[in-house]
Amino acid sequence: MRDRYAVVGHPVAHSKSPQIHAEFARATGQELEYGRIEAPLDGFERTVEEFRSQGGKGLNVTVPFKEAAFRYCRSLSPRARAARVVNTLVLTGAEVFGDTTDGVGLVADLTRNLGFELFRKNLLLMGAGGAAQGVVQALLDAGVARLLIANRTVSRAEELAGRFTGASACGYDALPAQAFDLIVNATSAGLADEAPPLPEQLLGNGVLAYDMVYGRETPFLAAARRAGARTSDGLGMLVEQAAEAFFVWRGVRPETRPTLAKLRAALRGS
Ligand code: NAP
């Protein structure tokens, strides 16, 4: 029987993870199957237990269960312990190991796919939810000069920044006039066709504006493009974090560019 993996979330029907992992498995010759599981909002643990009892080997975890997954794990990677969110579960017998691959995925997309050098750069990270929590350590590890976290609920940004040496926090109304080299939108605002209230003067020429939402031009990206900034959605991050999860499970690192190109072409065609 093939090893079984899946993505668990609510909702999960839109997830591109099954397609991505099927591409990776084909390209690397790994025998596995990968599905989708929609867990009830109050039934994350039950759903994982059931998958495990049926011999499931691993799960990707998406909205809104990344914090529940962190609490559920019996052991954690150092990066998951720092992030306090888990997006990758490794299930071996009674053992449940949790990892967080979003940070590595974002940094890989920025540096390898977009050619953006993070070392000594000034960064603004918008949002303090699961996605933002998952990437702070990886951005700091890349040697950025400054990482400022802004969030609508300022106390959440302060709590998040307070956990990491080298990060600071503020509300959108207190953002400094200073120019940023990179602005990452880790909020879910784009899904509702909204944008965080970012002062327009921060979106000028020379900035890379990155939205973790993918497959659409969010209002944040549209404003950045109009202001002359370089822009990117989060499709590359999605593929790169999946490649890292595949490596954690299978010990094999798939090439990401062909899969990213296929997904991009499919999104353009739809
Ligand atoms: P989450 O835990 O629900 O957090 C949502 C965040 O967005 C919070 O910080 C929230 O602020 C903020 N927010 C929501 N609406 C806003 C608005 N209108 N204006 C300003 N801020 C707003 O969600 P998440 O797990 O962090 O995910 C965030 C996004 O990242 C999702 O769209 C997800 O699809 C995407 N994502 C993409 C990837 C990828 O691989 N590309 C990976 C992970 C996540 P408050 O705290 O004030 O409520």
Side-chain angles (χ1 to χ4, degrees):
M1 202 175 84
R2 292 172 168 213
D3 287 346
R4 286 180 60 216
Y5 299 85
V7 54
V8 57
H10 185 116
V12 83
H14 66 284
S15 174
K16 302 212 177 300
S17 293
Q19 190 184 338
I20 294 171
H21 284 279
E23 288 283 341
F24 289 167
R26 237 190 324 272
T28 58
Q30 294 282 306
E31 293 282 323
L32 58 88
E33 52 183 79
Y34 189 108
R36 283 185 181 89
I37 302 174
E38 180 160 300
L41 287 174
D42 63 350
F44 173 74
E45 295 203 0
R46 222 168 48 238
T47 303
V48 178
E49 287 299 334
E50 197 182 320
F51 183 73
R52 197 150 69 96
S53 69
Q54 294 164 352
K57 299 283 188 210
L59 288 166
N60 283 136
V61 182
T62 187
V63 179
F65 297 124
K66 290 183 184 180
E67 287 171 3
F70 171 74
R71 291 191 296 272
Y72 175 78
C73 288
R74 297 185 194 154
S75 61
L76 293 160
S77 67
R79 59 192 178 189
R81 192 168 291 116
R84 298 188 194 164
V85 283
V86 157
N87 76 342
T88 304
L89 293 177
V90 184
L91 310 170
T92 32
E95 186 53 47
V96 182
F97 172 76
D99 202 354
T100 297
T101 64
D102 280 343
V104 168
L106 173 63
V107 168
D109 190 34
L110 288 167
T111 57
R112 289 210 293 268
N113 299 331
L114 300 171
F116 183 88
E117 176 56 67
L118 283 158
F119 190 62
R120 297 212 172 133
K121 292 291 175 16
N122 281 319
L123 263 64
L124 174 61
L125 176 65
M126 302 192 291
Q133 291 178 64
V135 301
V136 172
Q137 187 65 60
L139 291 171
L140 291 169
D141 288 348
V144 301
R146 179 175 195 207
L147 178 57
L148 181 59
I149 304 170
N151 194 46
R152 186 174 57 183
T153 310
V154 182
S155 58
R156 289 187 80 193
E158 287 169 345
E159 191 279 328
L160 178 56
R163 282 161 37 196
F164 297 90
T165 309
S168 54
C170 70
Y172 291 106
D173 54 357
L175 278 170
Q178 167 218 354
F180 292 94
D181 301 300
L182 170 65
I183 302 179
V184 175
N185 186 8
T187 77
S188 51
L191 295 178
D193 242 359
E194 292 171 3
L198 185 71
E200 280 211 1
Q201 68 270 21
L202 293 182
L203 279 177
N205 218 335
V207 181
L208 172 58
Y210 188 101
D211 202 317
M212 287 192 191
V213 169
Y214 52 83
R216 62 169 91 183
E217 188 180 61
T218 60
F220 163 65
L221 289 186
R225 181 176 48 77
R226 285 195 300 271
R230 187 181 169 205
T231 62
S232 176
D233 75 354
L235 192 66
M237 173 180 171
L238 180 77
V239 173
E240 297 292 347
Q241 64 76 30
E244 183 73 8
F246 194 90
F247 177 70
V248 168
W249 289 327
R250 311 297 298 184
V252 178
R253 206 172 275 289
E255 252 198 82
T256 50
R257 284 189 186 214
T259 303
L260 180 53
K262 272 190 193 167
L263 282 176
R264 184 68 74 202
L267 282 169
R268 279 207 191 100
S270 64

